[in-house]
Amino acid sequence: TRIRPSSKRCAVIGGSGFLGRHLVERLVEKGYSVAVFDIAQRYEVPGVTFHQGDLCDKQALLKVLKDVSLVFHCASPSPACDDRNLFWKVNVEGTRIVIRACQEAGVQRLVLTSSASVVFEGTDIKNGKEDLPYAKRPIDYYTETKIQQEKVVLEACSKEKDFLTVAIRPHGIFGPRDPQLVPILVDTARKGKMKFIIGDGANLVDFTYVENVVHGHILAAEHLKPDSPLCGKAYHITNDEPIRF
Ligand code: NAD
């Protein structure tokens, strides 16, 4: 019989990133022991082990996942890079490798950071539910691969294989150390490029505070059990009301 790894041992793939680091810090506060797997190490936290590697490298993943029961996957190339091949390689092929590595290592739960853009067809959505279909015409290459990535993860959910999956779909994330959203807005405004309005000024956009996104991930992980309705499902996550933008 396989010895079950402690349920408080987890790994965060992409743990050096904006969301990943917040997730790591909260997991440590909650008493988890955390291994970070990322192509770059950008900080140190006592009690957290860092493993530098590419998620497309199964052997590198296996070394980190062998005594882990729970994995958070929040790694992605930056949407701004607009490199279709890289998005496919990392988000789709790489995520397949993550799943195989998890299954071989005996990981029992995988929580994916997806994106609300997977259901965005270019027109405002208010009170959109998770039963909205995936976008037929994704807005960019990044979103195209986030759709495939989410499908791959949710389809891998299997009670028989003792491998359960769930996806969390934030839209814009803001909070301390945000590298893109607010700094880019401020920079654009400083350069005087925010003097025009796209649309009629009533476009909707959703932002969620990073700690709420983290909370959603941990809640999903802790409730992901064989008899739970979360198995193989995606969940939108938001603060409350969308912001007029
Ligand atoms: P981020 O760029 O700050 O972090 C991503 C991390 O992934 C980085 O540390 C990077 O080094 C790592 N990474 C990239 N390629 C890798 C690879 N091949 N192997 C291992 N690690 C790799 O991004 P973020 O804002 O923290 O986003 C985290 C997740 O949340 C992503 O999946 C993103 O699609 C999703 N998301 C983000 C937002 C947002 O507004 N920031 C909104 C919706 C969804």
Side-chain angles (χ1 to χ4, degrees):
T1 55
R2 197 168 73 206
I3 296 167
R4 281 183 169 241
S6 150
S7 61
K8 284 257 171 180
R9 276 200 63 78
C10 66
V12 180
I13 303 174
S16 295
F18 166 50
L19 174 63
R21 179 171 173 183
H22 281 281
L23 182 58
V24 168
E25 289 172 347
R26 183 74 190 115
L27 287 165
V28 170
E29 276 171 19
K30 286 186 61 99
Y32 283 82
S33 96
V34 185
V36 168
F37 185 95
D38 200 296
I39 38 173
Q41 175 173 0
R42 299 196 188 87
Y43 63 97
E44 280 180 39
V45 167
V48 175
T49 56
F50 278 88
H51 306 268
Q52 206 165 339
D54 189 321
L55 62 82
C56 300
D57 178 352
K58 195 175 83 176
Q59 294 310 319
L61 281 169
L62 280 173
K63 282 186 203 143
V64 179
L65 302 185
K66 64 179 186 306
D67 54 353
V68 158
S69 61
L70 164 64
V71 170
F72 296 91
H73 175 4
C74 53
S76 170
S78 163
C81 82
D82 208 34
D83 180 339
R84 192 180 194 190
N85 289 338
L86 185 65
F87 288 139
W88 271 95
K89 183 170 164 282
V90 176
N91 288 348
V92 186
E93 299 308 326
T95 297
R96 287 204 177 94
I97 293 166
V98 168
I99 292 168
R100 280 202 291 277
C102 284
Q103 291 171 335
E104 279 181 37
V107 170
Q108 287 137 4
R109 288 170 293 162
L110 173 63
V111 180
L112 171 73
T113 314
S114 181
S115 167
S117 64
V118 299
V119 296
F120 183 59
E121 288 278 14
T123 48
D124 285 347
I125 298 173
K126 201 173 179 190
N127 299 324
K129 300 280 183 303
E130 288 78 0
D131 58 4
L132 284 168
Y134 287 117
K136 285 189 203 69
R137 280 180 307 264
I139 47 167
D140 52 20
Y141 296 141
Y142 163 79
T143 305
E144 180 186 350
T145 60
K146 292 297 281 185
I147 293 174
Q148 293 309 318
Q149 175 189 52
E150 189 187 279
K151 286 184 182 170
V152 163
V153 167
L154 298 183
E155 280 164 12
C157 186
S158 162
K159 290 170 202 176
E160 293 69 37
K161 287 188 186 163
D162 196 15
F163 182 63
L164 305 179
T165 64
V166 63
I168 300 295
R169 294 176 178 169
H171 190 248
I173 307 174
F174 70 96
R177 301 189 300 256
D178 155 32
Q180 4 180 14
L181 190 73
V182 173
I184 289 171
L185 284 181
V186 170
D187 191 51
T188 313
R190 282 212 177 105
K191 287 180 181 150
K193 291 185 186 166
M194 294 258 273
K195 291 181 181 144
F196 51 87
I197 293 174
I198 298 168
D200 62 3
N203 298 335
L204 297 174
V205 69
D206 183 71
F207 295 113
T208 309
Y209 186 58
V210 65
E211 285 179 12
N212 291 336
V213 180
V214 164
H215 183 56
H217 280 67
I218 297 176
L219 274 183
E222 292 182 344
H223 288 82
L224 189 56
K225 302 196 173 112
D227 54 353
S228 127
L230 276 74
C231 292
K233 298 272 170 55
Y235 289 88
H236 293 159
I237 183 152
T238 183
N239 286 329
D240 190 1
E241 282 289 297
I243 297 166
R244 280 204 184 280
F245 203 62

